[in-house]
Amino acid sequence: MQEKTRKSEGSTPALFIHYDNSLDDVPGGVQLCSKEYLRTLREAGFSLKFLKVENDRRMSNRVKRKIKPEPYNYNFNQEKAIADIKSSLTDSVKYIFLNQYVLRPLAKTIKENLGYGIKTVLLSHGLASVDYLHEIRATSYLSKNKVSNTEANYLGRQLLEETSHSSYIDHVFCLAPFEVEIEKWLGAKRATHIPRTINEPPLNWQPIKGRVGYVGRLDHPPNKEGLLLVLNELKKIKGNIIELRIVGSPAEEGQQLSEDYEFVNYLGELSDEELREDASTWSTCINPVFCYAMGCSTKLAVAVGWEIPIITTTMGIRGYIWNEGDVPIADEAESFANLVIEYSDPANSTPIKKEIQKTRNSSPNIVDVANIIKNSLS
């Protein structure tokens, strides 16, 4: 189903509100998803006017966030935001798109100040409560400490805040089907899954035997938990027969991994060009996600776009759909590690590359996803 995106003139005026650095030209998951939402909305026929809501850096709010954090509060100046929205609106604008969960509180402010004639649509990258649950669970597992009452209470307050937002949001687009159900549980009027598209161009794959790759944020607890589970299993089965090349930040986390595991080679943060050059030598890359963290795993879209072998989990493919192709999946750390050893040999991973190509070619394209948006909002 992959094809070139047709040019859309954009016949429906809409306001696209984005938070702080979400549209910056950096290769982060938030930025990738934000720009994909943008392309899809344009393809769906929306003519977008942009409004940036900046992080509230006033000292009073910075102190509140530090001393007494409240879910969804003190992140931005609500009064300034609604004033900017009012000055940006024209009579023809009937839709306001809110990019990311941090802007959920704006829905109530919009309805109270502008009435119910304008549809407020949340472009979700995942719920804060979903990630926070796994953050405190994974941190507890890694540190061997119990979840504190403060953490548990904060999670409860997050859920209450999220459900209070739901009555003011007309539609929620989610990156994964399981979050559609959670949004409904929280009271969403309408919620729809938006599958990921594959946009990264293929690599000139020239694998080196024994070389395996990983790309990701190393201090994000679900990422860290999954990676460590697999590294510990590889250590048991003499993983030093491979070289695991890790790309990501922060540097101190990566350097610690290279000290703790003799088969880890930490490369630091690489530019897009440097990453593509190195990844073209990986016999396989890994996406060890063992929990349903918020949103979806952008790393999977990158690897499938590269058309190189990748090993992942059922949780790692959340949010993706395709009609053909057999992506290697292992939901237990031990079996995952065994696949890493097996596919570190290009003789074994080459057939997987052909399956990844099928996956890429049978994944939805931007026109398919734009039609989902149009049908959902009609």
Side-chain angles (χ1 to χ4, degrees):
M1 286 193 290
Q2 289 291 318
E3 60 185 63
K4 290 184 178 180
T5 303
R6 62 178 172 80
K7 186 177 180 181
S8 176
E9 296 301 326
S11 58
T12 305
L15 187 61
F16 185 95
I17 304 180
H18 57 103
Y19 183 66
D20 220 23
N21 63 354
S22 62
L23 294 183
D24 286 359
D25 192 19
V26 295
V30 168
Q31 289 75 21
L32 290 172
C33 289
S34 297
K35 290 172 183 177
E36 189 168 327
Y37 270 131
L38 272 182
R39 290 193 298 271
T40 308
L41 288 172
R42 285 170 171 154
E43 182 64 34
F46 288 96
S47 177
L48 300 173
K49 185 175 183 179
F50 297 91
L51 176 61
K52 182 177 180 178
V53 174
E54 294 187 338
N55 178 258
D56 194 337
R57 294 175 175 84
R58 290 177 296 178
M59 182 58 68
S60 59
N61 276 15
R62 290 166 65 184
V63 170
K64 288 176 183 176
R65 288 198 297 262
K66 185 72 174 178
I67 296 177
K68 191 178 180 182
E70 288 291 335
Y72 292 95
N73 289 325
Y74 315 131
N75 291 309
F76 57 89
N77 187 328
Q78 288 259 18
E79 292 181 0
K80 183 180 185 305
I82 196 63
D84 291 342
I85 290 170
K86 286 179 177 179
S87 65
S88 300
L89 284 179
T90 63
D91 291 339
S92 59
V93 171
K94 301 302 179 186
Y95 289 93
I96 294 179
F97 294 101
L98 303 176
N99 185 48
Q100 284 184 270
Y101 70 79
V102 70
L103 296 178
R104 287 177 74 103
L106 260 183
K108 179 180 179 181
T109 307
I110 290 169
K111 296 298 187 187
E112 289 178 343
N113 285 269
L114 303 175
Y116 285 76
I118 297 177
K119 299 296 183 184
T120 304
V121 181
L122 177 65
L123 306 173
S124 176
H125 295 213
L127 281 155
S129 59
V130 170
D131 231 27
Y132 187 63
L133 168 66
H134 287 298
E135 180 181 330
I136 59 178
R137 179 199 56 74
T139 301
S140 173
Y141 167 78
L142 293 170
S143 66
K144 309 301 181 184
N145 295 324
K146 291 183 178 180
V147 173
S148 70
N149 288 335
T150 300
E151 291 169 325
N153 289 336
Y154 190 83
L155 176 61
R157 295 202 307 275
Q158 276 185 325
L159 291 168
L160 290 171
E161 279 294 309
E162 288 166 350
T163 197
S164 74
H165 303 151
S166 294
S167 60
Y168 301 99
I169 299 172
D170 295 292
H171 205 113
V172 184
F173 288 112
C174 303
L175 297 177
F178 83 96
E179 285 204 338
V180 169
E181 301 308 316
I182 296 176
E183 288 283 4
K184 290 178 180 177
W185 175 66
L186 290 170
K189 298 173 185 176
R190 295 177 182 84
T192 304
H193 168 224
I194 297 296
R196 293 302 312 277
T197 59
I198 309 300
N199 301 299
E200 192 76 15
L203 298 178
N204 179 23
W205 191 52
Q206 298 177 321
I208 295 175
K209 186 175 182 179
R211 183 173 288 189
V212 179
Y214 173 88
V215 184
R217 184 80 194 176
L218 301 176
D219 60 352
H220 181 52
N223 284 358
K224 186 175 181 179
E225 177 191 40
L227 183 58
L228 286 176
L229 285 170
V230 171
L231 290 178
N232 289 332
E233 291 299 326
L234 285 170
K235 194 172 186 178
K236 291 178 187 177
I237 56 176
K238 297 182 180 178
N240 58 322
I241 65 172
I242 67 166
E243 178 197 9
L244 177 57
R245 297 168 74 83
I246 292 180
V247 179
S249 62
E252 56 267 25
E253 294 280 353
Q255 289 163 358
Q256 187 62 54
L257 291 174
S258 66
E259 292 176 12
D260 293 342
Y261 303 91
E262 61 178 325
F263 52 89
V264 167
N265 184 356
Y266 176 60
L267 305 182
E269 290 188 90
L270 302 180
S271 67
D272 286 350
E273 184 178 345
E274 290 169 333
L275 176 58
R276 287 178 59 83
E277 182 178 355
D278 202 77
S280 68
T281 68
W282 300 348
S283 292
T284 188
C285 64
I286 62 172
N287 183 36
V289 180
F290 294 100
C291 66
Y292 282 91
M294 74 176 191
C296 64
S297 178
T298 56
K299 298 186 290 293
L300 185 71
V302 172
V304 173
W306 285 342
E307 294 185 1
I308 68 173
I310 181 170
I311 305 166
T312 187
T313 64
T314 301
M315 294 71 94
I317 64 171
R318 67 196 187 284
Y320 294 83
I321 60 174
W322 59 84
N323 295 325
E324 296 180 57
D326 187 14
V327 178
I329 288 174
D331 288 340
E332 300 294 334
E334 182 180 1
S335 55
F336 195 108
N338 287 328
L339 282 182
V340 173
I341 298 298
E342 179 180 353
Y343 293 139
S344 66
D345 186 340
N348 298 326
S349 63
T350 296
I352 302 303
K353 174 180 169 59
K354 296 177 182 178
E355 295 298 316
I356 300 299
Q357 289 174 320
K358 293 178 185 177
T359 298
R360 177 194 175 95
N361 293 334
S362 66
S363 294
N365 59 48
I366 197 168
V367 176
D368 299 323
V369 180
N371 285 332
I372 294 174
I373 287 181
K374 286 191 288 188
N375 293 334
S376 299
L377 295 179
S378 63

